[in-house]
Structures are given as structure tokens and as C-alpha cells.
Amino acid sequence: QATTGTFATSTAKLRIFNSLATNGWSVSLSPTAGPTAYWNRSDNLAKYDFNDSGGDGTDSGIDADSLGGQLSVNPSTGSVSSSCSTTGTSLGASANFIEGTTNTITLFTASSGVPLGCNYDFTGASLTQTIPAQQPAGTYTIDMTATVVAL
């Protein structure tokens, strides 16, 4: 089973203000707890691995093949808008978080051609989370961190 959602909605967009980087920059998404992160139910009584579909026992300690989840991000369903121009920006490629291999996914990048003093708003990346079939019902959350890196 899987559930889908959106990262960075029109009412909760991810905004980057380019005030310093003249060589371009990239924006990426990763779980705040790193590769050992897990989805936690609101009552803290149930959890499951967010990116361990193989259940190899090397992440959050609750591994088993039946307990692994898989989080996928598709930045190309999103868009970048700007107070200036979006020329020089590009969306990242669709990817799955893979334990020990892909712990960070690029949402979008900007080349050295983007002007200083501009806002860049990212919205609409689709998320798909595979949920282990036996997982108890409830509302689960995971903390994610967006990082901007100057090139």
C-alpha cells in the first residue's frame, strides 16, 4: 500500500532568497534524522522505516522485510517561480530515498546566471510513501530538512 502527498504547497511553499551566491546553488531534501529516520505515529506507539524496503537491519532498529517503507520524491511535478526570472533554474529528477545510497534528493538548482536579490519559490513536488501492509492505522509523521548549498 502507498500514500501520496505534496511537498511545498502553494500555501506552504519553500522560498529561497538569493542574496549571496553568485556561482549558483542547489536545494535538497533529506530526513532530519538521516538514514536512520522512521515514520512515527502521533501516539508514539507505532513506527516504521522510511526508506528500507529491503529490511536489512542497518537503520532504525525496527527492520524486518515486513517493516520497511520507501519514500519517493518527484520534484519534476513541481515548479519554481521567482520575483525576477526563473531562467537558469531547473527541477531535480524523480528519485527514491535508498538507505545508505540516496539519503538526499535534489529539488531544484540555480545556475550562476540567476540574479541576486530575488526570491525563488518552489512548490508541488509529489511524494509517495510505501507503507508496510501490516502497519497499524494512524497518522504518521517524519521530519524532513531542506538544505541550500552554494556551488
Side-chain angles (χ1 to χ4, degrees):
Q1 58 187 352
T3 188
T4 60
T6 303
F7 176 79
T9 64
S10 60
T11 58
K13 57 191 157 205
L14 176 63
R15 173 171 279 181
I16 306 301
F17 180 72
N18 186 29
S19 62
L20 296 174
T22 58
N23 293 323
W25 36 270
S26 68
V27 181
S28 60
L29 183 67
S30 59
T32 302
T36 63
Y38 54 86
W39 288 86
N40 194 26
R41 195 167 69 179
S42 58
D43 62 6
N44 292 319
L45 297 177
K47 60 186 177 181
Y48 67 94
D49 297 322
F50 93 106
N51 73 337
D52 186 27
S53 58
D56 63 9
T58 61
D59 63 359
S60 66
I62 58 171
D63 276 318
D65 285 340
S66 61
L67 294 178
Q70 181 69 60
L71 179 59
S72 303
V73 180
N74 188 354
S76 66
T77 62
S79 64
V80 176
S81 60
S82 176
S83 58
C84 298
S85 166
T86 58
T87 301
T89 64
S90 59
L91 298 171
S94 179
N96 296 332
F97 285 104
I98 301 170
E99 179 183 5
T101 303
T102 306
N103 296 313
T104 300
I105 293 175
T106 299
L107 297 174
F108 73 102
T109 59
S111 71
S112 60
V114 298
L116 294 174
C118 299
N119 291 325
Y120 293 87
D121 294 335
F122 176 76
T123 57
S126 68
L127 304 173
T128 303
Q129 174 65 37
T130 303
I131 303 166
Q134 78 296 338
Q135 198 62 31
T139 300
Y140 290 78
T141 60
I142 188 171
D143 291 331
M144 301 295 282
T145 300
T147 304
V148 180
V149 177
L151 303 175

